Amino acid sequence: MSAGNRVRFAIIGCGVIAEVHAEGIAKVDEAELVAVCDANPEKGRAFADKYGATFYERLEDLLAAPEVEVVNVCTPSGLHAEQAVMAARAGKHVICEKPMAIRLEDARLIIEECRKAGVKLATVFPRRMAPSARFLKSFLDGGGLGRLTLCDAFVKIYRSQQYYDSAGWRGTWAMDGGGAMMNQGIHTVDLLQWLVGPVESVYGRASALQRKIEVEDTALALLQYRCGAMGVLNMTTTVYPDQGQRLEIHGEKGTVIYREDSIELLEVQGEKVELPTFESFNVLPDGHRIQIRDMALAVREDRYPVVTGEEGIHSLAIILGTYESSRQRAEVKLG
């Protein structure tokens, strides 16, 4: 695509994940980074210089810049809703890092404001971009396992106390919105419900068992799916060595075991299914790059992005439902 027709992106928040966004934009022919904003001028200017963009200390000034078409929200989770709404009201398309918000009402507000403004809204869930995941989605939607019965997700990873202490917002309800489920596990929760289908209710427990944080470092949840299947979420940031993430999906015809963006087992009626050869994929950075390119094309082609804002609601509802269930010691019905 010619330079004059590239979609012009801006990044809000110049932390760790912003580097992945900036590198993704740089590798997409249809996109270019033109502006960045950060509350820390020194960090923001260094980031802007590195990627050849204009630095704005005030978000209002960045949003007033006519050259900006898409805003990538990469700030702490507790700021997402306010900033995404500001971007929408300024007429900018929005890519919002996970979680889209830390309250359901705020996520719905973002969706509504983007709709009213006529701008596009994408939620970042890069694991959905894996060729293996998209194959499984088609396979399961086509009834490949028949009636689903037991569908589980496991996230057993390690985050030290130093990780939480490294930034004042980490491990807080106000800015992180949650812990092992909201910050780390949300990608796997999203992937599970995307593959299996909507969750009707959740019964969960969540607690900080090892880390000195406000939010949970360990969570368990029993899921009831709309399709009739049941499942378990098992998530923690206290397992050493890191065991990564895994899905297990069982149906009347067979089983899928999916580990770290690869199909470890797909067996139907006693026979292993022959898999196609998938393109190489690393969730960081490939997933973000694919979603950024998709947003650029969505803007130019005037279509929905591959992962809409509405899609960002589902995993958030499951996680918040788990927290509420843990507080109430009762099953929580999801809308």
Side-chain angles (χ1 to χ4, degrees):
M1 184 176 286
S2 66
N5 199 36
R6 288 176 183 155
V7 176
R8 298 178 297 277
F9 285 73
I11 292 175
I12 306 172
C14 298
V16 174
I17 201 63
E19 294 278 355
V20 180
H21 282 251
E23 293 291 342
I25 293 168
K27 289 180 170 63
V28 171
D29 290 340
E30 297 85 355
E32 64 176 317
L33 181 63
V34 298
V36 301
C37 178
D38 195 274
N40 183 326
E42 183 177 354
K43 181 170 71 171
R45 288 193 180 94
F47 190 97
D49 290 344
K50 179 178 180 179
Y51 292 102
T54 300
F55 170 69
Y56 292 88
E57 188 170 346
R58 297 177 68 250
L59 177 56
E60 292 85 352
D61 294 335
L62 180 147
L63 295 177
E67 67 271 18
V68 172
E69 296 180 87
V70 181
V71 171
N72 294 34
V73 180
C74 299
T75 49
S77 304
L79 300 175
H80 289 180
E82 178 184 1
Q83 294 171 339
V85 166
M86 288 175 65
R89 290 174 177 171
K92 312 300 184 184
H93 306 289
V94 178
I95 295 182
C96 194
E97 262 295 339
K98 59 76 188 171
M100 185 168 60
I102 60 175
R103 290 177 290 271
L104 283 175
E105 57 267 32
D106 288 341
R108 294 187 182 107
L109 177 63
I110 296 171
I111 292 168
E112 177 61 16
E113 290 297 325
C114 286
R115 185 196 64 77
K116 287 183 354 187
V119 299
K120 304 183 189 307
L121 171 62
T123 312
V124 177
F125 282 117
R127 290 197 183 276
R128 289 197 190 192
M129 302 302 107
S132 55
R134 303 194 76 77
F135 170 84
L136 273 185
K137 173 67 172 170
S138 178
F139 180 83
L140 293 169
D141 284 354
L145 292 186
R147 182 172 56 87
L148 299 179
T149 54
L150 187 62
C151 308
D152 308 321
F154 306 87
V155 178
K156 297 184 177 183
I157 60 176
Y158 184 77
R159 294 291 186 272
S160 67
Q161 186 66 47
Q162 288 72 30
Y163 163 83
Y164 291 105
D165 295 341
S166 67
W169 64 274
R170 293 192 189 280
T172 67
W173 288 114
M175 285 291 114
D176 222 355
M181 293 191 82
M182 185 72 85
N183 197 313
Q184 285 80 28
I186 191 169
H187 289 293
T188 311
V189 175
D190 172 73
L191 199 61
L192 182 68
Q193 66 82 31
W194 180 58
L195 293 172
V196 176
V199 172
E200 285 190 338
S201 70
V202 58
Y203 189 102
R205 295 290 297 272
S207 185
L209 300 181
Q210 290 191 21
R211 305 291 171 251
K212 295 179 181 178
I213 53 178
E214 295 178 6
V215 299
E216 87 288 354
D217 60 24
T218 304
L220 296 172
L222 172 65
L223 307 179
Q224 178 65 58
Y225 296 92
R226 187 181 299 167
C227 67
M230 294 187 293
V232 171
L233 300 178
N234 186 326
M235 303 190 168
T236 185
T237 53
T238 67
V239 168
Y240 186 85
D242 196 307
Q243 301 296 303
Q245 65 99 25
R246 184 177 86 257
L247 303 181
E248 295 183 3
I249 301 173
H250 306 280
E252 60 183 334
K253 295 181 181 179
T255 289
V256 170
I257 297 179
Y258 189 73
R259 186 189 300 271
E260 296 296 328
D261 307 305
S262 295
I263 300 172
E264 192 171 274
L265 174 70
L266 177 52
E267 187 171 302
V268 174
Q269 295 178 334
E271 299 290 336
K272 289 186 178 180
V273 175
E274 185 174 350
L275 300 174
T277 300
F278 299 117
E279 292 183 20
S280 175
F281 177 85
N282 292 305
V283 65
L284 293 176
D286 296 334
H288 285 73
R289 173 181 50 78
I290 292 168
Q291 282 204 252
I292 287 166
R293 182 173 187 268
D294 173 75
M295 176 59 107
L297 294 175
V299 170
R300 288 294 178 257
E301 297 169 2
D302 192 22
R303 60 167 174 80
Y304 291 113
V306 66
V307 186
T308 62
E310 286 82 356
E311 285 295 298
I313 288 279
H314 306 312
S315 54
L316 184 61
I318 294 167
I319 292 167
L320 292 175
T322 300
Y323 295 159
E324 184 62 23
S325 174
S326 185
R327 286 190 289 267
Q328 294 184 11
R329 297 293 195 267
E331 182 181 18
V332 169
K333 302 287 187 181
L334 305 184

